[in-house]
Amino acid sequence: MPTSERYPHLKVTDPEVYGLIQRQTALEGSTLKMIASENYASFSVLEATGSSLTNKYCEGYPAARYYEGNEVMDEIENLAIARLKALFTAEHANVQPCSGSPANQAVYRAIMTPGDKVMGIPVSEGGHLTHGWKVNFSGRDYVQIPFGPSQETGLLDYDQIREIARRERPRMIWCGTTAYPRTIEYDKFAEIAQEVEAYLVADIAHISGLVAAGVHPNPVPYCDIVSSTTHKMMRGPRSGFILSRENDRYQEKYYPESKFNLAKRIDRAVFPGLQGGPHMNVIAAMAVAFGEAATPAFKEYAQQVVKNARHLGECLKNGGIRLACGGTDTHMLLLDFRNETFTGKEVAEALGRAGIIANFNMVPGDTRKPFITSGVRMGTPGLTSMGMKESDMEKVGEWILRVVHALPDSAATEKAVRGEIAEFCKGFKIPGLDD
Ligand SMILES: *Cc1c(COP(=O)(O)O)cnc(C)c1O
């Protein structure tokens, strides 16, 4: 079905919203989606998200609902849970958090008391808002003990992390970031957490697709809890989930009076602690995405995502662009412009005008302000979903280099590249956009 014929009802009843959707779709079909946290969900995921399941209320959990008529809904939620547990070999799964941040909020409610110490990476160094950043609930209600990648190498320094944990004795340690292109060594984090008797929680929002495909180590065996989004590399609907052990290894220490184990405390934190009715259309779409992620095709996809990121990194390096952390093991590249007169923001804006959509980002050792930065973060999940391979990365690399090398007078180059990219995109089928 051509894009112009999709949404036939909306087109008639609300041409204004319809027109805006069409405009955004056209934009995404003619530019390179290189925001590391974005991707293209399949038509099947979109259909489930747009289904009439949106109409049903089912507060509670399967077989324990507060509304009647939920036999089918129980099956849907149980299916999503079963597929998710199998994908990550987890003991317990909750699929009701509405997104990554609400999932993390529930994690705090399940294992922390306001005022407790949480070890997390500050946003300015690649952590997420919910890891204790001052303007977020997590920084207002809890005390962040910051740690971060080394300013020199850009890599996590596990000796330093151990030292901070020993000194501060946090109740919980977050391992997970939004801007770290290297493998996270969960076994090392686990040793540290064990030594100081802290809960270890992995936030795999960015990399859950890589983990599901076996391309990045699985944190589940090492962590008390694992949280994630489903709309990043995972290619699902906008949502979140929490995996955990059934039992709390610190039950005696922190919850001696409680009759609820860890799994139960997480479930109760999500509902009724933080949310009301689950979004069942989205949970059905999650089940679809988990089904897709369990296929050999997805494994191949995830491997190609990393190959593409590595190859693009090589192309950029050969063209004179520095990469933070020395390169990548994942879907993500951090371009380092600390030694340049132009800023990360200027590069990101120029690339954006040229049709290469990424974002400016702090890099390790950055001396520019967070709204200016010396870095640009980009990822290959979207391009790889379009079917791009290493040879395409060479073209993408050349376009990036042309724009960057033309700075600061890059307007003409941006315009030329924008046209070439729009033409190039026509050669690919975009999942969820092109039939
Ligand atoms: C994206 C992200 C989140 C939050 O996801 P939202 O769905 O935007 O709330 C949490 N943690 C990390 C590490 C992320 O990258």
Side-chain angles (χ1 to χ4, degrees), residues 110 144 207 244 276 308 381:
Q144 189 194 51
I207 55 171
S244 75
N308 283 350

Side-chain angles (χ1 to χ4, degrees), residues 385-402:
S385 289
M386 289 169 75
M388 290 193 198
K389 299 264 165 33
E390 286 94 328
S391 57
D392 303 302
M393 291 306 110
E394 285 171 23
K395 294 202 185 78
V396 173
E398 269 172 44
W399 280 316
I400 294 170
L401 289 167
R402 263 168 69 194

Side-chain angles (χ1 to χ4, degrees), residues 6 8 68 92 141 148 157 162 182 218 227 237 278 322 329 334 348 390 404 406 420:
R6 218 167 285 144
E68 298 312 312
H92 179 73
D141 297 351
D157 175 345
R162 174 177 280 109
R182 291 299 190 181
N218 184 0
S227 73
R322 282 177 44 166
D329 305 317
L334 260 185
E390 286 94 328
V404 170
E420 288 169 37

Side-chain angles (χ1 to χ4, degrees), residues 134-330:
K134 47 188 177 287
V135 297
N136 186 259
F137 81 91
S138 58
R140 303 187 70 119
D141 297 351
Y142 305 91
V143 179
Q144 189 194 51
I145 307 299
F147 71 97
S150 145
Q151 300 292 297
E152 286 79 47
T153 62
L155 302 177
L156 288 172
D157 175 345
Y158 294 91
D159 292 331
Q160 193 202 20
I161 296 170
R162 174 177 280 109
E163 212 178 282
I164 298 171
R166 276 184 185 158
R167 187 178 67 231
E168 299 285 349
R169 307 215 49 109
R171 172 104 156 224
M172 152 184 173
I173 301 173
W174 280 110
C175 51
T177 95
T178 63
Y180 188 65
R182 291 299 190 181
T183 299
I184 296 194
E185 298 179 58
Y186 300 114
D187 51 344
K188 291 191 181 157
F189 268 109
E191 259 181 42
I192 295 167
Q194 170 102 37
E195 188 189 324
V196 301
E197 294 188 306
Y199 291 104
L200 183 63
V201 185
D203 180 343
I204 57 169
H206 259 266
I207 55 171
S208 51
L210 296 175
V211 173
V215 179
H216 186 283
N218 184 0
V220 165
Y222 300 102
C223 294
D224 298 284
I225 304 177
V226 176
S227 73
S228 183
T229 61
T230 52
H231 49 276
K232 298 185 183 178
M233 224 203 93
M234 200 82 179
R235 289 202 296 213
R238 299 202 83 82
S239 196
F241 64 75
I242 304 172
L243 308 172
S244 75
R245 298 183 174 135
E246 276 295 333
N247 292 314
D248 184 347
R249 61 176 160 153
Y250 303 130
Q251 187 92 15
E252 282 298 304
K253 183 176 159 89
Y254 292 123
Y255 296 94
E257 311 280 295
S258 176
K259 58 181 191 287
F260 301 117
N261 65 11
L262 182 61
K264 191 81 183 156
R265 291 209 312 276
I266 287 169
D267 285 353
R268 288 170 54 83
V270 176
F271 172 86
L274 293 164
Q275 295 184 183
H279 300 186
M280 292 308 294
N281 54 321
V282 174
I283 289 175
M286 288 165 84
V288 174
F290 299 151
E292 291 176 358
T295 60
F298 189 86
K299 199 178 178 95
E300 223 170 278
Y301 162 70
Q303 287 165 346
Q304 190 64 47
V305 164
V306 177
K307 281 189 212 160
N308 283 350
R310 286 221 169 107
H311 198 70
L312 178 59
E314 286 306 311
C315 297
L316 296 178
K317 257 206 270 194
N318 293 339
I321 292 182
R322 282 177 44 166
L323 298 180
C325 313
T328 183
D329 305 317
T330 63

